[in-house]
Amino acid sequence: MDERLVDSSDRVVSLTETPDMVAHDQPGSRTETNGAPQERTLETRDLRVYYGDFLAIRDVDLDFLSRKITAIIGPSGCGKTTLLRSLNRMNELVPIARTEGHVMFQGQDIYAEHVDPVEVRRRIGMVFQKPNPFPKSIYENIAWGARIHGYKGELDALVEESLKRAALWEEVKDKLDQSGYSLSGGQQQRLCIARAIAVRPEVILMDEPCSALDPVATFRIEELMRELASIYTIVIVTHNMQQAARVSDFTAMMMLGEDKAGEMIEYDETNTIFTRPADPRTEDYVTGRFG
Amino acid sequence: MNEINPFEGNTRRRRRQGIAWRFVFQASTIVGIIVLTALLYNVINESFGLAALELEIDPASLAVDGVALEELSQEQLAQIFQANVSAGLYRRYATEKPFTERTREEVYDLVQERVIRPQLVKTWTLFETLFERDAIEAELAEKYPGARLQFFSWLNPEFVQRPQSSDPLRAGVRTAILGSLWVIAITVIFAFPIATGAAIYLEEYAPETRLTRLIQTNINSLAGVPSIIYGILGLAIFVRFMQPITSGAVFGLVDDPTTANGRTIIAAGLTLGLLIMPIIIINAQEAIKAVPNSLRNASYGLGATQWETIWSHVLPNSIAGILTGTILAVSRAVGETAPLVVIGASTFITFDPDGPFSKFTTLPIQIFQWTSRPQAEFRNIAAAAIIALLLLLLALNAAAVLLRNRYSHRY
Ligand SMILES: Nc1ncnc2c1ncn2[C@@H]1O[C@H](COP(=O)(O)OP(=O)(O)OP(=O)(O)O)[C@@H](O)[C@H]1O
Ligand SMILES: [Mg+2]
């Protein structure tokens, strides 16, 4: 078990599978509700993150199920980004950040001592709020990650496959040598998604990936997420309730506690959260009555 | 308009205020331009102009069978030389290098130097040349009846190619330019890698501790230390303490280590390297800071290591700034005089530097030395050397602009 994060050959998901366009299957296969065991890719246990002395999120226990889209919603400043970044140890890059508790990835704690954060981040990829392509060519944006990880296959094929998967290939196939910045905002964000999937992660974390995009681009990325969900586990932070409802299978609701620390107050199937939430605060928030 | 307007109508006053400030800023710019013009005028005024030359022998009298001196063959020139100098002097030159082996140009130069022997008796500035021509000619007729008037561009291709000489007519700046280039090369080779490395460490690796802040503060203050203090430091470390190394003695490169005594190009280069290192560090740090964090995040998010992130993203996106900062620091080093005087640059050498362990002089030292001479002619060649130095600096700045344009990225 211990070697899993260090040895990348132990692949759970193979990208050679063709992504079949899955219809939004009704969530209902959750462990607790259905009894049928569902594979959990990521689990957090008593996860706390501090910035200096400030407790940003408290005791988060969340299960992210394999090949499902989990949305994290909640008011601004409640720690959604913090939670997301602690799932692939990106928070460590903030010097004052400190993480306690556990994040289990396929049964192994990514915060365990011998685990290499570099390997964690390859297997748990990330797409950021603001599109951030490298100031390099479109081709190089995608090939670079594969190259540093010692990709042995045909790079051209990988670039094409990743761009196709990110629904960008048709738009850029004739200008792969142009700068990633020559693309529109929505195209840039899809380039970032293509870049993330090119290193064949198992989980993709997305922090408000559509917040800078127009409705058309947003729609394309949502479509893309549904497609990717057939092979990847996806976690998305969003402020857009419709988006969470449209795209996700499960939804976690976060809220600021009394002492300004973020807490996870409810977690359920997206359907349930939006129709019969257990917590009145959730209901206020998803219906827009929250102050 | 019945309702009461709570705002007083003050736009006119505010506009007037704005115009006043605009004038202040315009005036500052104009002062700057005036100063710059005065500087250039001063230098150019001295670099060109008429000069009175007294000749020992009129070259026309040396013509052979109606053929002017310039047209004569090597043998004829050698004969003229022999006929017009003392036998002792001729023997000296002949033993130095037999006349049959000398080229025509060499012999012609010898005739000029030893037979015709032009002497500068008076020089005039460009302004005087252009506007007071009558006064110049009157003075010439009165004081120097035998002298001839000639227009000089003190800055000319030969001036840049000739070595140093005690005769202003024959002095050039080649020795000094080569010395400057050698010293700068050592400076860059020494300071650039160390300073860039330090900047990368401080920006990308160093933890935010009190020690780091202390080091940072120190670097910032070192950038402001007067250059003469670096000269004293260089004298103590590179010239005195490390003399066996800086004189090249330990490498067996110098037969007679007492000639340079550690006052060598390498000692000067290292001293100037110390001087500009903090400046390069600070400039490089700024360039690295300007790389947006989103780029680093993107790289780490893909599973890149810190070194891969630095090498593939931070450095390519900051190299333009690092290089520009380095070149600007080097421009400063090119013009430094005080520390080199302290560590003992030679004020008079006529041979080209041939490596890091030779004695040297640099352009600013040469200018300093010429301006402190009493003879007026040296002011003219000093002005010409200043133009040469300014051109060198201009070239460096142009290189900085080109590099910035070549490598700049948008994010
Ligand atoms: N780098 C940091 N240093 C210090 N405090 C931070 C840092 N990043 C976040 N915080 C604090 O942690 C808390 C949670 O921030 P976080 O960015 O996770 O919120 P969020 O839910 O993503 O908000 P938003 O919806 O506005 O993006 C906030 O109080 C914020 O001030
Ligand atoms: Mg956020």
Side-chain angles (χ1 to χ4, degrees):
Chain A
M1 225 11 164
D2 280 357
E3 282 87 300
R4 297 193 65 176
L5 280 167
V6 187
D7 177 12
S8 56
S9 64
D10 186 344
R11 307 267 313 150
V12 176
V13 179
S14 159
L15 266 185
T16 46
E17 296 169 28
T18 33
D20 42 339
M21 172 78 162
V22 272
H24 188 158
D25 52 340
Q26 283 305 304
S29 49
R30 231 183 131 213
T31 327
E32 293 82 5
T33 49
N34 236 5
Q38 168 92 34
E39 199 185 333
R40 285 172 290 193
T41 300
L42 273 172
E43 304 158 70
T44 71
R45 291 289 171 264
D46 302 328
L47 186 67
R48 285 178 302 279
V49 181
Y50 296 85
Y51 292 109
D53 294 334
F54 171 69
L55 179 63
I57 52 172
R58 170 191 301 129
D59 298 339
V60 174
D61 289 293
L62 255 175
D63 297 342
F64 300 93
L65 303 190
S66 298
R67 302 179 206 199
K68 295 287 178 229
I69 299 179
T70 307
I72 302 173
I73 60 171
S76 187
C78 68
K80 304 180 295 296
T81 299
T82 304
L83 170 61
L84 199 70
R85 288 169 58 92
S86 62
L87 296 181
N88 70 344
R89 299 185 62 169
M90 283 294 280
N91 248 4
E92 271 161 46
L93 302 174
V94 178
I96 55 168
R98 184 161 50 88
T99 310
E100 289 174 2
H102 308 278
V103 175
M104 311 301 285
F105 175 53
Q106 295 170 351
Q108 196 197 341
D109 190 354
I110 63 169
Y111 284 97
E113 216 162 89
H114 59 277
V115 172
D116 184 355
V118 166
E119 185 59 24
V120 169
R121 292 184 202 127
R122 187 189 68 74
R123 298 180 65 181
I124 308 179
M126 192 154 205
V127 175
F128 299 84
Q129 176 169 357
K130 207 172 135 249
N132 58 352
F134 296 131
K136 298 176 188 281
S137 70
I138 293 171
Y139 183 96
E140 205 45 40
N141 258 283
I142 294 174
W144 186 77
R147 211 178 283 133
I148 57 166
H149 290 295
Y151 183 70
K152 297 224 178 56
E154 188 52 52
L155 265 184
D156 292 356
L158 178 75
V159 170
E160 177 171 345
E161 179 196 308
S162 307
L163 284 170
K164 277 187 174 149
R165 222 176 269 278
L168 189 61
W169 174 250
E170 286 306 317
E171 289 154 76
V172 302
K173 64 181 178 200
D174 298 324
K175 47 175 187 177
L176 291 177
D177 55 342
Q178 284 182 23
S179 162
Y181 280 93
S182 63
L183 301 176
S184 76
Q187 290 173 325
Q188 285 185 16
Q189 194 62 301
R190 274 178 284 149
L191 179 64
C192 292
I193 294 175
R195 178 178 70 187
I197 58 185
V199 296
R200 304 196 170 165
E202 286 141 60
V203 182
I204 304 178
L205 310 173
M206 297 184 173
D207 192 354
E208 303 182 43
C210 303
S211 65
L213 307 182
D214 76 357
V216 179
T218 302
F219 176 74
R220 303 221 40 183
I221 289 185
E222 285 178 10
E223 217 176 28
L224 174 63
M225 280 193 279
R226 288 300 339 159
E227 273 173 50
L228 296 174
S230 65
I231 38 179
Y232 300 106
T233 305
I234 296 178
V235 184
I236 171 178
V237 168
T238 180
H239 279 291
N240 182 332
M241 290 308 112
Q242 286 86 0
Q243 182 170 64
R246 276 196 301 267
V247 84
S248 69
D249 303 304
F250 294 91
T251 300
M253 172 71 200
M254 292 188 68
M255 193 63 90
L256 275 183
E258 235 99 89
D259 54 351
K260 303 287 177 208
E263 299 170 320
M264 208 265 294
I265 59 165
E266 190 169 0
Y267 174 53
D268 214 321
E269 289 163 22
T270 299
N271 240 346
T272 315
I273 293 278
F274 280 91
T275 51
R276 298 165 263 111
D279 194 303
R281 290 175 292 177
T282 309
E283 181 162 12
D284 287 350
Y285 186 76
V286 298
T287 54
R289 260 175 286 156
F290 179 80
Chain B
M1 278 255 284
N2 299 342
E3 49 189 304
I4 298 157
N5 183 352
F7 299 101
E8 62 173 297
N10 61 356
T11 32
R12 274 170 61 99
R13 187 171 56 76
R14 281 158 56 208
R15 282 180 63 89
R16 272 203 305 277
Q17 204 176 30
I19 290 169
W21 277 113
R22 195 194 134 139
F23 274 120
V24 170
F25 298 140
Q26 234 166 23
S28 326
T29 315
I30 289 169
V31 169
I33 292 172
I34 290 173
V35 171
L36 195 67
T37 316
L39 178 99
L40 283 180
Y41 168 79
N42 198 21
V43 174
I44 290 172
N45 199 25
E46 299 269 5
S47 304
F48 304 93
L50 286 170
L53 282 174
E54 262 171 10
L55 308 178
E56 203 87 331
I57 295 177
D58 184 2
S61 71
L62 293 175
V64 179
D65 304 333
V67 182
L69 187 69
E70 292 81 30
E71 319 271 288
L72 292 177
S73 69
Q74 196 262 357
E75 292 81 27
Q76 288 170 313
L77 286 168
Q79 278 163 14
I80 290 175
F81 183 75
Q82 190 173 11
N84 286 283
V85 299
S86 69
L89 192 65
Y90 180 77
R91 260 202 312 284
R92 218 180 78 206
Y93 279 103
T95 43
E96 202 175 83
K97 191 177 181 188
F99 273 79
T100 46
E101 286 174 23
R102 293 177 187 256
T103 65
R104 207 202 83 99
E105 276 64 41
E106 281 171 353
V107 183
Y108 182 78
D109 283 350
L110 271 183
V111 173
Q112 282 282 342
E113 186 185 342
R114 286 292 170 181
V115 180
I116 301 177
R117 289 175 71 181
Q119 299 281 319
L120 275 176
V121 286
K122 169 101 191 177
T123 61
W124 289 274
T125 64
L126 184 61
F127 182 86
E128 288 163 341
T129 304
L130 292 178
F131 302 108
E132 294 165 12
R133 186 68 187 242
D134 298 341
I136 292 174
E137 285 185 349
E139 189 182 352
L140 190 74
E142 182 190 337
K143 288 199 197 152
Y144 318 104
R148 57 167 58 186
L149 212 50
Q150 192 179 336
F151 183 81
F152 274 85
S153 163
W154 297 99
L155 180 71
N156 54 46
E158 277 120 70
F159 178 70
V160 182
Q161 288 162 23
R162 277 194 305 252
Q164 159 76 302
S165 160
S166 56
D167 175 2
L169 274 179
R170 319 185 68 80
V173 285
R174 187 178 73 194
T175 324
I177 288 181
L178 288 176
S180 276
L181 292 178
W182 265 107
V183 169
I184 286 311
I186 302 275
T187 303
V188 172
I189 292 168
F190 171 55
F192 177 72
I194 297 181
T196 312
I200 292 171
Y201 179 77
L202 288 171
E203 282 306 311
E204 298 289 319
Y205 293 99
E208 263 288 318
T209 60
R210 194 173 299 173
L211 180 68
T212 316
R213 275 199 300 277
L214 187 74
I215 292 171
Q216 185 72 58
T217 316
N218 267 306
I219 291 171
N220 295 349
S221 358
L222 278 179
V225 168
S227 58
I228 193 147
I229 293 175
Y230 281 98
I232 294 166
L233 183 71
L235 180 69
I237 300 177
F238 301 126
V239 178
R240 300 253 163 81
F241 180 68
M242 289 169 59
Q243 180 177 340
I245 299 170
T246 51
S247 66
V250 291
F251 307 106
L253 289 173
V254 179
D255 310 328
D256 178 10
T258 52
T259 53
N261 249 335
R263 301 176 147 76
T264 50
I265 282 178
I266 190 154
L270 295 177
T271 306
L272 292 187
L274 284 187
L275 170 74
I276 62 171
M277 210 178 275
I279 308 174
I280 302 182
I281 294 179
I282 292 171
N283 288 336
Q285 279 185 293
E286 289 308 317
I288 291 171
K289 268 196 198 114
V291 175
N293 254 330
S294 63
L295 220 56
R296 293 186 183 86
N297 280 333
S299 174
Y300 287 126
L302 279 178
T305 62
Q306 186 165 21
W307 169 242
E308 286 160 348
T309 304
I310 292 172
W311 178 249
S312 297
H313 303 293
V314 176
L315 284 183
N317 288 292
S318 55
I319 193 69
I322 295 175
L323 291 180
T324 323
T326 305
I327 290 177
L328 293 180
V330 166
S331 307
R332 172 163 176 210
V334 170
E336 273 305 339
T337 323
L340 298 186
V341 170
V342 174
I343 68 160
S346 311
T347 44
F348 188 87
I349 45 172
T350 53
F351 51 86
D352 292 344
D354 57 0
F357 302 111
S358 57
K359 294 205 282 188
F360 70 101
T361 189
T362 65
L363 268 176
I365 298 270
Q366 188 73 82
I367 292 165
F368 170 67
Q369 198 251 338
W370 278 338
T371 45
S372 52
R373 291 253 192 137
Q375 301 98 313
E377 310 84 83
F378 282 100
R379 277 212 305 278
N380 298 113
I381 54 175
I386 288 171
I387 294 185
L389 178 61
L390 289 178
L391 288 177
L392 187 64
L393 290 174
L394 212 64
L396 281 174
N397 280 301
V401 172
L402 283 180
L403 280 174
R404 191 164 40 215
N405 294 344
R406 168 86 175 67
Y407 287 110
S408 55
H409 284 285
R410 65 199 187 94
Y411 302 110

